[in-house]
Amino acid sequence: MANPARTLSAASRSLYTASNPFKKSVAPSHHISASSSRTILRSTQTLNLIKSRFQSTATAASSSTTTAAAVTAPEIVVKPIVGWWMMTISAMTFGIVVVGGMTRLTESGLSIVEWNLIKGMKPPRSQAEWEEEFEKYKQFPEYKILNHGMTIEEFKRIFYYEWSHRMLGRAIGAAFILPGLFFAARGMLSKNIARRSLIIGGLIGFQGALGWYMVKSGLDEQLMQTPGATPRVSQYRLAAHLGSAFLIYTGAFMTGLKVFADYSISKGSYESLRSALNNPALKRFKGAAHGIVALVFITAISGAFVAGLDAGLVYNEFPLMGGRIMPPVKELFDSHFLHKDDHPTLGLWRNMFDNQVTVQFNHRVLATTTFTAISSLFLYSRGLPLPPHVRLGVNVLMGVACCQVGLGIATLLYMVPVSLGTAHQAGSLTLLTSALYLMHSLKKIPIVNKIPLK
């Protein structure tokens, strides 16, 4: 391509020569006639005009090219089989959360006192193996304080709860690693999905280590020297363990939904919904949906503290607590929970996580707040122009919230039976699923000309 500067320079010389045919014989400038001066001036103005238009055209062309590249840049999406892989991981995580709840409610979590990734896969088979495993259990505080006199048949029952929980964890790891390696080797993962997968895989590995770290807190021999101590895992570690499981579930579930949605967009399935979902009138509603997800998650984590402290076994009534809206302040902020070096006032925050009464009260307040927020969102949605699938998501969220509140009240009134407690924990993850789906269904649909499959 010709250099614009050289082109303009040549044009200048040409025009100047044309307007000065006797250039070589022209005298110095003070001898040039007035007519020639006017001609030179007009030529210079013409050159400036040409140069200005040339630069304007070049700038416009460059801007147009950049804009077109931004709008039409294709987004790489992956095939739906990757989405089904992620949905399988999320379903298995849902299952292990439920089994984990049963393990906690049946007080089976401390029945296996060691961690062996490979060897631990095989349960005892012969009578001698069972006797050996039972003898290991007898060396720790739970047997000595709570289960002294337990028979070997009773031990087998709690052993299989914990063993099933651990085996399901191993199965999740295998279900993630093997297909993940296959998809990566075949180049079936986009950069975005590969990045998400690495994060989820890291969380799965972390979750396994965190699970054993949690169990170790209930095997501490120091419990034998603590007056009135109950052998159980730390409520802090239990909450971290549950929170990590919820994060794995959320990551896998949302990644699966993204894969399916991107594939549908690439086929033009969402064209009719673009204007409805991109409506500015839904901006506040979308923000509220994100807030609901956060509230559900926080409420579920507060429930882990209730489970870890057996706080569901106090104040088994609703909506009052001991005939009052809230327990006495002395019960909520009991100085008994202060540590030796704590400030007498600031140290009272420990009640928020260590005091059964305070922990249950917090969970009630958070649950009520979450239910009120969901109800408000449901009523607010009645006046909005929502697409059918978003309307369905709001209705399902409201229905699941009602069921979860009912399960929570029943669990409290009946002093946390295994069946209701397990159903309540499953309900918390079901409620989170409903909130996540609603949040996902409200995402704006991008404008792209073509989305190639990978």
Side-chain angles (χ1 to χ4, degrees):
M1 181 181 292
N3 189 319
R6 292 182 179 178
T7 304
L8 286 171
S9 179
S12 176
R13 289 194 300 270
S14 176
L15 284 171
Y16 188 79
T17 302
S19 60
N20 297 272
F22 304 106
K23 179 177 178 291
K24 292 183 180 180
S25 61
V26 172
S29 57
H30 59 274
H31 295 296
I32 298 176
S33 66
S35 175
S36 296
S37 298
R38 286 195 297 271
T39 303
I40 293 173
L41 179 61
R42 285 197 300 271
S43 299
T44 302
Q45 291 174 344
T46 303
L47 280 173
N48 290 336
L49 180 61
I50 293 173
K51 184 177 180 181
S52 175
R53 289 183 178 179
F54 178 83
Q55 290 177 339
S56 177
T57 303
T59 302
S62 174
S63 176
S64 176
T65 303
T66 303
T67 304
V71 173
T72 61
E75 178 185 352
I76 302 296
V77 298
V78 299
K79 295 180 180 179
I81 189 173
V82 176
W84 287 115
W85 169 50
M86 283 294 171
M87 285 301 183
T88 300
I89 297 299
S90 67
M92 294 178 73
T93 305
F94 192 107
I96 201 172
V97 168
V98 175
V99 173
M102 294 174 64
T103 302
R104 174 71 191 89
L105 290 166
T106 56
E107 298 183 344
S108 307
L110 301 177
S111 59
I112 302 178
V113 296
E114 56 189 7
W115 173 255
N116 293 302
L117 183 61
I118 304 301
K119 185 180 176 181
M121 295 175 66
K122 185 180 80 69
R125 295 181 180 177
S126 65
Q127 185 64 23
E129 289 179 342
W130 276 113
E131 291 286 351
E132 181 184 356
E133 196 69 34
F134 193 27
E135 284 301 318
K136 293 177 183 177
Y137 176 67
K138 288 180 179 180
Q139 306 307 311
F140 291 91
E142 185 175 70
Y143 176 81
K144 295 176 181 179
I145 297 176
L146 293 181
N147 294 334
H148 190 71
M150 172 183 276
T151 67
I152 195 168
E153 293 301 320
E154 292 171 329
F155 172 72
K156 287 180 181 180
R157 185 177 67 86
I158 64 172
F159 177 91
Y160 274 120
Y161 272 117
E162 175 65 8
W163 180 80
S164 300
H165 185 58
R166 295 190 182 193
M167 285 302 295
L168 188 50
R170 291 182 175 94
I172 292 174
F176 179 84
I177 293 172
L178 297 178
L181 291 175
F182 173 80
F183 293 140
R186 292 296 185 91
M188 298 175 65
L189 302 178
S190 65
K191 288 184 179 180
N192 181 275
I193 300 301
R195 192 182 307 113
R196 287 169 174 249
S197 300
L198 284 175
I199 293 173
I200 294 170
L203 282 173
I204 290 174
F206 172 74
Q207 175 74 336
L210 185 59
W212 174 241
Y213 179 65
M214 176 189 69
V215 170
K216 283 181 65 178
S217 67
L219 302 175
D220 192 349
E221 286 293 337
Q222 191 176 0
L223 291 169
M224 298 297 296
Q225 282 75 47
T226 305
T230 301
R232 58 189 175 207
V233 300
S234 163
Q235 68 272 23
Y236 294 95
R237 300 184 191 184
L238 177 63
H241 191 50
L242 182 68
S244 179
F246 272 45
L247 288 176
I248 293 169
Y249 177 84
T250 299
F253 182 71
M254 294 300 286
T255 301
L257 289 180
K258 174 179 171 56
V259 171
F260 295 145
D262 287 351
Y263 181 79
S264 297
I265 292 172
S266 71
K267 296 296 184 180
S269 302
Y270 284 0
E271 288 298 322
S272 59
L273 298 175
R274 177 173 286 120
S275 60
L277 291 176
N278 295 354
N279 189 344
L282 301 184
K283 183 177 181 180
R284 183 177 297 178
F285 184 77
K286 292 178 181 180
H290 283 72
I292 293 296
V293 171
L295 269 176
V296 172
F297 184 87
I298 294 171
T299 304
I301 299 305
S302 75
F305 282 93
V306 173
L309 290 171
D310 291 325
L313 300 179
V314 299
Y315 285 112
N316 298 103
E317 56 183 325
F318 190 86
L320 303 179
M321 298 181 73
R324 307 171 58 166
I325 295 296
M326 61 180 289
V329 175
K330 289 184 178 180
E331 286 189 32
L332 291 173
F333 297 99
D334 191 345
S335 59
H336 172 74
F337 294 95
L338 293 176
H339 287 195
K340 182 178 179 180
D341 299 325
D342 284 346
H343 186 278
T345 301
L346 297 179
L348 292 175
W349 68 267
R350 296 186 185 278
N351 285 268
M352 305 293 288
F353 306 102
D354 296 346
N355 186 341
Q356 287 180 312
V357 175
T358 311
V359 165
Q360 191 197 114
F361 179 73
N362 290 342
H363 188 59
R364 288 184 183 221
V365 171
L366 283 169
T368 304
T369 302
T370 302
F371 181 74
T372 303
I374 292 174
S375 301
S376 301
L377 185 73
F378 174 77
L379 294 175
Y380 178 60
S381 71
R382 299 298 93 184
L384 294 176
L386 300 178
H389 73 292
V390 178
R391 180 78 64 191
L392 176 64
V394 177
N395 294 341
V396 169
L397 178 64
M398 187 72 249
V400 173
C402 291
C403 292
Q404 178 67 348
V405 168
L407 281 171
I409 295 173
T411 302
L412 181 67
L413 296 180
Y414 288 95
M415 300 186 68
V416 198
V418 174
S419 57
L420 285 175
T422 303
H424 188 49
Q425 181 149 316
S428 67
L429 200 47
T430 304
L431 185 61
L432 180 64
T433 304
S434 304
L436 289 172
Y437 173 78
L438 177 61
M439 184 177 71
H440 170 80
S441 67
L442 286 166
K443 285 186 176 180
K444 287 186 176 182
I445 298 177
I447 300 175
V448 289
N449 287 345
K450 183 180 181 181
I451 305 182
L453 300 179
K454 187 168 184 176

